């Protein structure tokens, strides 16, 4: 049997329940992965909270990325063998399970030195952070402002930007400032006076900005500081990005699909993790019977690094 977490209806994390279902058998082009870690993303609870979506299909689709071991191969699968350690970059259906079916085309090899928790967190957080830096062209000598830097995408954006040779100014609450310094950023408290605080740190201006929170403050500050709107990107303010003339990743027809950038970024992040030059800090791990608690923490919007479920 396979254990799987299912939202029985729309609502709060209280709707999540753990069920036993028959072990799935891979069809043509699929592999079955024995899951070692599942990465928690805000989009998981957007699917069932009844606010972001009321599409019944969304109740069947959450938990996008896992890391684990190949257990069984369907017909027409080549390049993978049972026992391979993998990252599944896109789990169709429900990834909150101890066994999942994944198209072989959505697998990346997990480097042996990368932890299960870090590996599971690479596709969405790593892919998005890399993609955001690419679309605004962050390079050596730039000063870049990262809003929401202490979260899952932020911790990777900060480290990747610093590795590119950029000076990184990063917003977070004061309790995360030492944490952000340890990742290579100069922290700035968000809230009233943010624009003045950033100007004081960077009197010569800011070259690019990444909005990873979608607040009006993050958008206003970015637009006030960055002269070229092509060098401002949001991953969260879907409704207004086009109107503001800034770049948008994910979420709707105007988004940059990043079909080529994202896998390149995921591979690059895995390589840098394997080399030990970046890290994915994991705030807390949860059991499969604690997914509701993990989602409550995510809904609180003050996660440091990543939350991970270990079945
Ligand atoms: N478009 C895409 O493809 C894509 C991909 C991934 C994620 N996303 C979206 O991007 C956002 C970030 O994702 P994530 O996984 O990084 O989320 P996350 O891990 O839940 O982010 C939590 C972080 O947000 C910070 N934060 C909360 N309020 C803030 C504010 N007013 N100003 C600045 N920082 C604030 C918190 O820092 P403090 O605790 O210090 O306040 C915390 O560290 C989410 O909305 C997510 O849905 C979009």
């Amino acid at each position: 049997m396979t254990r799987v977490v299912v939202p029985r209806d729309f609502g709060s994390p209280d709707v999540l329940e753990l069920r036993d279902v028959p072990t799935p058998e891979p069809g043509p082009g699929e592999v079955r992965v024995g899951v070692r870690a599942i990465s928690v993303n805000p989009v998981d609870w957007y699917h069932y909270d009844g606010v972001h979506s009321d599409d019944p299909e969304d109740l069947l689709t959450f938990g996008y990325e896992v890391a684990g071991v190949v257990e069984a191969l369907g017909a027409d699968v080549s390049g993978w063998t049972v026992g391979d350690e993998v990252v599944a970059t896109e789990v169709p259906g429900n990834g909150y399970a101890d066994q999942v079916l994944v198209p072989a085309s959505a697998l990346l090899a997990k480097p042996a030195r990368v932890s299960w928790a870090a590996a599971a967190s690479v596709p969405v957080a790593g892919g998005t952070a890399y993609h955001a830096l690419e679309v605004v062209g962050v390079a050596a000598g730039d000063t870049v402002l990262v809003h929401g830097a202490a979260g899952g995408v932020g911790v990777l954006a900060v480290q990747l930007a610093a590795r590119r040779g950029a000076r990184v100014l990063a917003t977070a609450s004061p309790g995360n400032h030492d944490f952000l310094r340890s990742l290579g950023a100069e922290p700035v408290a968000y809230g009233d006076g943010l624009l003045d605080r950033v100007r004081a740190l960077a009197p010569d201006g800011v070259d690019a900005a990444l909005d990873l929170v979608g607040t009006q403050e993050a958008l206003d500050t970015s637009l006030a500081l960055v002269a070229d709107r092509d060098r401002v990107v949001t991953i969260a303010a879907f409704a207004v990005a086009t109107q503001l003339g800034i770049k948008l990743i994910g979420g709707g027809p105007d988004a940059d699909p990043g079909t080529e950038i994202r896998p390149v970024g995921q591979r690059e992040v895995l390589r840098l993790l394997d080399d030990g030059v970046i890290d994915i800090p994991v705030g807390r791990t949860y059991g499969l019977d604690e997914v509701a608690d993990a989602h409550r923490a995510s809904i609180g919007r003050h996660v440091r690094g990543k939350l991970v479920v270990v079945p």
Side-chain angles (χ1 to χ4, degrees), residues 42 46 128 148 150-153 173 176 190 212-213 235 249 301-303:
Y46 297 168
T128 306
V153 180
S173 57
N176 278 325
Y190 58 79
L212 311 181
V213 287
I235 68 165
I249 293 175
R301 294 290 194 186
H302 293 290
V303 171

Side-chain angles (χ1 to χ4, degrees), residues 68 84 89 106 121 182 189 209 213 235 272 299 311:
D84 284 348
T89 61
S121 303
S182 76
V213 287
I235 68 165
L272 293 171
I299 288 167

Side-chain angles (χ1 to χ4, degrees), residues 133 138 140 144 156-168 183-185:
L133 293 169
V138 170
V144 59
L156 282 153
V158 164
Q159 294 175 87
L160 295 174
R163 276 199 61 77
R164 288 178 181 219
R167 179 185 179 203
V168 186
L183 300 178

Side-chain angles (χ1 to χ4, degrees), residues 1-3 22-26 30-36 67-74 77 80-86 97-102 107 311:
M1 298 296 274
T2 292
R3 293 185 310 152
T23 300
E25 293 306 327
E30 290 181 329
V31 304
R32 187 175 69 231
V33 174
V35 177
R36 298 292 188 271
V69 178
V70 173
E71 285 186 349
L73 306 171
V77 172
W80 300 102
T81 50
V82 170
D84 284 348
E85 296 188 349
V86 294
D98 54 13
Q99 294 170 306
V100 296
L101 297 182
V102 185
L107 295 179

Side-chain angles (χ1 to χ4, degrees), residues 244-292:
L244 295 175
I246 62 175
K247 298 277 179 68
L248 169 66
I249 293 175
D254 299 321
D256 178 342
T259 45
E260 290 160 17
I261 299 174
R262 211 163 266 237
V264 170
Q266 291 163 346
R267 286 195 179 85
E268 173 68 0
V269 171
L270 279 171
R271 189 183 69 72
L272 293 171
L273 287 167
D274 190 33
D275 289 347
V277 296
I278 64 167
D279 183 28
I280 300 186
V282 174
R284 199 185 140 184
T285 58
Y286 298 81
L288 210 47
D289 55 349
E290 298 175 310
V291 172

